[in-house]
Amino acid sequence: MSRETVLHSIRRAISERGVRGRFELPARPPAPTYGEGRLERFTERLVTHACSWEAIDTLEQLPDRVMAWLEGKGLPPRFAVAPPLMALPWPEIAERHCDRAGIDESVAVSLAFGGIAESGSLAMYSGPQSPITHNYVPEFHLVALFADDIRDSQEGIWEKVRATGAMPRALNLIAGPSRTGDVEQTIQLGAHGPRQVHVMVVHAKPSTS
Amino acid sequence: MKALPGTFDSRAAVALADPSLQKALKNFKPLFVAKRAAAVAELDGFEQLRETAAAIKDAVLSELDVWLERYAAKVESLGGHVHFASDAAEAREIIREICRKADAKTICKGKSMVSEEIGLNEVLEDDGYKVVETDLGEYIIQLAKEPPSHIIAPAIHKTREQVADLFEQNHPGRPREDSVAGLVNEARHALRERFFQSDVGITGGNFLIAETGTSIIVTNEGNGDLTQTLSRAHVVTSGIERVIPTLDDLSVFLRLLARSATGQDTECYTTLSSGPKRPGDPDGPEEYHVVLVDNGRSKMLAGRFSQMLRCIRCGACMNHCPVYGAVGGHAYGWVYPGPMGSILTPLFNGLAENYDLPNACTLNGRCQSVCPVKIPLTDLIRTMRNEQIKAGLMPASQRRMMAAWGWVARQPGLYRAFEKLGSKMLRLRAGRSGSLSSLPGAGAWTRVRDLPAPSGPTFIDQWKAKGGQS
Ligand code: SF4
């Protein structure tokens, strides 16, 4: 069996070189911390990565702000939405669904699991509450994120993931809209994924979540 | 991928005479080097991260079997399948079998150097599958039927006009696009449908995490994510050396990778995948397979080149290599170009068949000064030359020249006399210009640049004049 063959030849190589147990895993340098400046660092990195953002006080304000954003872009009020956001007070004209994104999906509205101040990344935790396709298929991705869920570094997100008790099937870290430099090293946004990512930082976390 | 025909010399000659390639190379190099330097300068403790990353790799490699077993057990506990392949043929068979069982028609691929290494596309296409490369650079070279010429930017050798020509030929019914934005958009439209048709999605795996049974892909385009999320089966292809212990170790490597590869602080998308779709998940692949490829790596682990297994395929070494910068990736003849390729290709494909790769290096050391995992690339290239000589591979003419030089070098008086005579003759021949535009026996050198004539007394004479001992 190949597994045994491969492992056997690895074992033979390790014993030929006599290295087993000779190298210890090193201590890792500490991850960066930002203290009071965490939110500022996060939003500054968002902008560096070509995201736009705005602050909102509560999640209940999200529908109005999403509708205003869509109107500002001249987009129809039709979008995929993460299940936890479905029941917010959306206006009647908001045509929304929370299934996986289809090929013509133009806009998705998601709720992030966390944010990383170090890199301005959004962390999306896949599952019934957060379809992965919403992050990649639409041209416009609007993401709500509780300010409380922003961590200094990736390490903070790993800790937050461990606290849930399991790795999600997919943990997507997203830093800005999709881009490519494959034609003459000229950076072009909107390669395969969203062309624009707009983040809404929610300051008051509901006490139930 | 099959090795390209010819030798490094012959392929380099073609590359030097290709004006489009030369134009493309001139554009790319300063960009990558400057962007990396800026990104590195912005981060405190980059050196410490390099040290740590190298130490993590060495520790894992010294117990690689243990970490791989731990990783595999975790993946399997999540419902994934782990396949070990001893060589390229076995890896191809495993993947063909997965595609057969999935009754696949369309196979989308994210960028995977291992799949290039094992020559996967050719066999899948021969089997009748529609194989679609989805990374824009890979898509371009797939249309051009060419191998990648850089591990991060596979189509770096193509100019915008060449891409426009390719798209015009391959996307019938669409008006020709000439702008970068237009071309990127055109590819987006052409590939969109493919993602949704994909039965099997094949990606690479930048890292594998033993703690969580997770595979990582890092991209800017999002093509890898669409590939693996929309396909019914996701196949991760990875070398056996890619496993690391924990998520926290991953952070060390992620901080190094994007800065070293593209000069970004992070790539746009970093995706951690653990197993197949779970009950209640609205999307994601129903099957999740990891194909761990040995293909000579365990042999590497035993020998003098084991440090090469630290490589995280960032491309920094080639971005900083003056030889790569002059001739591009195809001159190296196989999947892995530049300094890392000059070591890997002879190890994978034979010292004799690739004699000239390590010998094309100038040993200037820039590659190892930027390698994020501190691989002593120039030392390894020197060791490789040594192995070639020990194996009797040095051509007889070179051997005779080296023997003659060695004999003269052991007679200091004679050596100095020759040195003086040589430098005087070169000075005389150069005349007032101080450089030679042609020199018998060195035509290849002087065809593309002038040779500066020695300007004054020899080093030994200067040393003596300054009171040093000889
Ligand atoms: S050898 Fe070092 S610099 Fe070159 S690709 Fe590998 S990790 Fe990057």
Side-chain angles (χ1 to χ4, degrees), chain B residues 305-329:
Chain B
F305 300 96
S306 60
Q307 285 158 313
M308 207 51 225
L309 293 169
R310 291 183 195 159
C311 178
I312 57 171
R313 308 287 191 262
C314 72
C317 53
M318 60 202 74
N319 295 344
H320 289 76
C321 173
V323 178
Y324 180 95
V327 299

Side-chain angles (χ1 to χ4, degrees), chain A residues 27-62:
Chain A
R28 287 176 295 265
T33 52
Y34 303 99
E36 292 293 301
R38 183 191 289 174
L39 179 62
E40 200 183 321
R41 164 83 189 191
F42 175 73
T43 53
E44 179 252 308
R45 296 318 286 175
L46 276 183
V47 174
T48 311
H49 293 139
C51 293
S52 52
W53 74 280
E54 62 183 291
I56 58 177
D57 293 333
T58 67
L59 204 53
E60 280 59 42
Q61 291 174 357
L62 188 78

Side-chain angles (χ1 to χ4, degrees), chain A residues 2-3 17 28 45 49 118 133 137 154-155 158 167 169 173 175 179-180 182 184 192-193 195, chain B residues 76 90 134 137 160 185 188 192 211 220-221 249 251 255 265 268 270 272 274-275 278 283 298 301:
Chain A
S2 284
R3 179 178 299 219
R17 275 181 57 225
R28 287 176 295 265
R45 296 318 286 175
H49 293 139
E118 177 186 5
T133 42
V137 176
Q154 287 163 19
E155 283 87 336
W158 309 150
M167 274 299 272
R169 196 203 79 68
L173 307 183
R179 66 198 61 201
T180 182
D182 274 344
E184 290 191 339
H192 293 294
R195 297 176 194 276
Chain B
E76 282 155 357
E90 229 173 76
T134 62
R160 180 160 42 97
N185 219 10
R188 180 185 174 104
R192 209 17 77 132
E211 174 195 9
N220 272 316
E221 297 182 6
D249 295 312
S251 299
R255 288 190 180 104
D265 64 334
C268 193
T270 304
L272 292 79
S274 312
R278 297 177 189 169
D283 45 23
S298 56
L301 184 60

Side-chain angles (χ1 to χ4, degrees), chain B residues 114-378:
Chain B
V114 168
S115 89
E116 299 277 0
E117 178 189 314
I118 62 173
L120 185 59
N121 284 15
E122 293 88 330
V123 296
L124 293 179
E125 278 165 0
D126 286 351
D127 284 349
Y129 299 112
K130 173 87 195 151
V131 181
V132 189
E133 292 286 354
T134 62
D135 170 83
L136 180 54
E138 291 279 351
Y139 179 65
I140 292 168
I141 59 167
Q142 189 186 30
L143 295 182
K145 300 190 174 51
E146 286 175 14
S149 67
H150 190 285
I151 59 169
I152 299 296
I156 204 149
H157 58 288
K158 289 275 178 232
T159 59
R160 180 160 42 97
E161 295 75 27
Q162 289 174 317
V163 177
D165 291 345
L166 275 172
F167 282 11
E168 196 176 20
Q169 289 154 22
N170 285 280
H171 300 156
R174 278 192 74 105
R176 181 185 170 97
E177 294 281 358
D178 278 302
S179 67
V180 174
L183 291 166
V184 171
N185 219 10
E186 187 171 337
R188 180 185 174 104
H189 283 289
L191 289 170
R192 209 17 77 132
E193 222 163 286
R194 298 294 183 201
F195 286 123
F196 278 84
Q197 289 164 345
S198 182
D199 301 300
V200 176
I202 301 175
T203 69
N206 288 77
F207 305 99
L208 309 170
I209 301 185
E211 174 195 9
T212 50
T214 300
S215 60
I216 319 291
I217 58 165
V218 177
T219 73
N220 272 316
E221 297 182 6
N223 64 304
D225 288 283
L226 289 166
T227 295
Q228 65 181 47
T229 308
L230 292 170
S231 302
R232 266 187 291 126
H234 175 200
V235 180
V236 179
T237 55
S238 175
I240 51 171
E241 79 283 14
R242 291 307 187 96
V243 66
I244 54 173
T246 64
L247 288 168
D248 298 302
D249 295 312
L250 174 67
S251 299
V252 172
F253 288 98
L254 289 178
R255 288 190 180 104
L256 290 165
L257 178 60
R259 288 177 173 90
S260 302
T262 50
Q264 292 169 276
D265 64 334
T266 172
E267 310 278 350
C268 193
Y269 300 115
T270 304
T271 294
L272 292 79
S273 306
S274 312
K277 184 175 177 178
R278 297 177 189 169
D281 278 356
D283 45 23
E286 274 142 40
E287 289 172 40
Y288 175 82
H289 299 265
V290 183
V291 183
L292 295 172
V293 182
D294 181 336
N295 201 26
R297 288 167 172 81
S298 56
K299 217 168 117 208
M300 227 182 280
L301 184 60
R304 300 166 77 188
F305 300 96
S306 60
Q307 285 158 313
M308 207 51 225
L309 293 169
R310 291 183 195 159
C311 178
I312 57 171
R313 308 287 191 262
C314 72
C317 53
M318 60 202 74
N319 295 344
H320 289 76
C321 173
V323 178
Y324 180 95
V327 299
H330 290 162
Y332 291 82
W334 198 52
V335 181
Y336 300 115
M340 49 94 84
S342 297
I343 300 163
L344 287 176
T345 306
L347 291 175
F348 279 121
N349 292 351
L351 294 189
E353 295 79 352
N354 296 283
Y355 175 79
D356 40 7
L357 285 187
N359 292 289
C361 172
T362 65
L363 299 181
N364 62 76
R366 279 162 80 186
C367 51
Q368 74 181 31
S369 74
V370 295
C371 174
V373 282
K374 298 202 111 167
I375 299 174
L377 290 154
T378 34

